[in-house]
Amino acid sequence: DGGITQSPKYLFRKEGQNVTLSCEQNLNHDAMYWYRQDPGQGLRLIYYSQIVNDFQKGDIAEGYSVSREKKESFPLTVTSAQKNPTAFYLCASQNGANTEAFFGQGTRLTVV
Amino acid sequence: GENVEQHPSTLSVQEGDSAVIKCTYSDSASNYFPWYKQELGKRPQLIIDIRSNVGEKKDQRIAVTLNKTAKHFSLHITETQPEDSAVYFCAASGYSTLTFGKGTMLLVSP
């Protein structure tokens, strides 16, 4: 079953803790993306990677970090420097620019 | 960078009516304009897209129009059904990343 998988679906963390969200795809796509979704804000780009071992900051990268050691995996770490981390996080992949983006089912992060 | 404005933020229609959602973009280099539908609690999914060399594209009850001169594109849904209720996002892309609008919540009442 091909697709893009995020885990976990729900995540609770205390303030000041780092947390890592997982994103795996078996679509053989080179490009992967992380978006943050807040009510009424649409999807805002955090980080993206167009090839293994390379990634670029998106519009709201502060307080986040990523790695791309394997083509299939693009984990996102929400660090303690992120001032308002509670949100719905979506991972996506594309088979090149200007093609359909395939999304994971999302991770809802709540910081208490 | 690219900026995409989407209107309205909410849209309520009666079943069978048509619905129109409009988006404008700022970067004249953008050449790919997809529309995504996100049902409550689910992932966004592509419903239709259009490229800058085409003015209109249809897929059953859904159509998208593009006016490159005015830098705006629209989603048209005819004969709406309750299952069309969802949040719809427009997006624009040039050579790398998608920039999304803030979304339109469409509510279709039976």
Side-chain angles (χ1 to χ4, degrees):
Chain A
D1 185 24
I4 181 164
T5 302
Q6 291 183 241
S7 62
K9 190 173 182 180
Y10 299 97
L11 190 55
F12 296 88
R13 278 297 182 267
K14 294 182 179 179
E15 275 193 36
Q17 288 183 334
N18 292 356
V19 60
T20 297
L21 283 59
S22 170
C23 178
E24 304 277 334
Q25 54 100 359
N26 60 5
L27 300 168
N28 200 35
H29 289 171
D30 285 317
M32 297 187 73
Y33 306 81
W34 274 105
Y35 295 93
R36 171 177 171 145
Q37 186 174 22
D38 296 285
Q41 293 296 315
L43 281 68
R44 293 183 290 169
L45 183 63
I46 304 171
Y47 267 98
Y48 64 103
S49 168
Q50 294 179 313
I51 198 168
V52 174
N53 292 323
D54 188 41
F55 49 83
Q56 288 78 39
K57 293 182 179 180
D59 300 319
I60 55 166
E62 185 176 353
Y64 300 97
S65 66
V66 294
S67 63
R68 186 84 187 277
E69 297 177 1
K70 299 186 300 181
K71 187 175 186 177
E72 301 79 17
S73 179
F74 191 40
L76 173 74
T77 297
V78 184
T79 74
S80 56
Q82 168 51 234
K83 295 179 182 178
N84 185 19
T86 294
F88 188 57
Y89 291 87
L90 283 162
C91 180
S93 70
Q94 287 179 254
N95 188 23
N98 297 348
T99 62
E100 180 178 358
F102 291 85
F103 286 87
Q105 74 271 39
T107 294
R108 187 166 298 280
L109 172 64
T110 303
V111 175
V112 296
Chain B
E2 175 66 276
N3 182 49
V4 176
E5 299 283 342
Q6 183 172 347
H7 299 279
S9 56
T10 59
L11 179 58
S12 294
V13 300
Q14 292 290 120
E15 183 177 1
D17 288 349
S18 294
V20 180
I21 302 170
K22 298 181 179 181
C23 290
T24 61
Y25 62 99
S26 61
D27 188 350
S28 57
S30 289
N31 55 17
Y32 176 63
F33 307 93
W35 287 87
Y36 287 83
K37 176 184 180 182
Q38 186 178 29
E39 296 177 1
L40 188 63
K42 295 190 177 180
R43 69 189 81 192
Q45 291 191 301
L46 179 73
I47 55 171
I48 196 167
D49 58 12
I50 192 167
R51 299 183 188 276
S52 59
N53 58 347
V54 176
E56 183 176 4
K57 185 177 179 180
K58 290 184 180 180
D59 183 2
Q60 300 182 352
R61 296 186 297 109
I62 293 172
V64 58
T65 58
L66 171 64
N67 184 327
K68 282 195 65 181
T69 302
K71 296 202 196 87
H72 66 71
F73 56 113
S74 300
L75 178 70
H76 304 254
I77 306 174
T78 59
E79 302 174 12
T80 54
Q81 301 166 4
E83 50 265 39
D84 294 330
S85 295
V87 178
Y88 291 80
F89 294 98
C90 64
S93 175
Y95 299 102
S96 58
T97 62
L98 288 165
T99 300
F100 287 86
K102 292 187 177 181
T104 296
M105 179 176 290
L106 174 63
L107 301 172
V108 181
S109 303

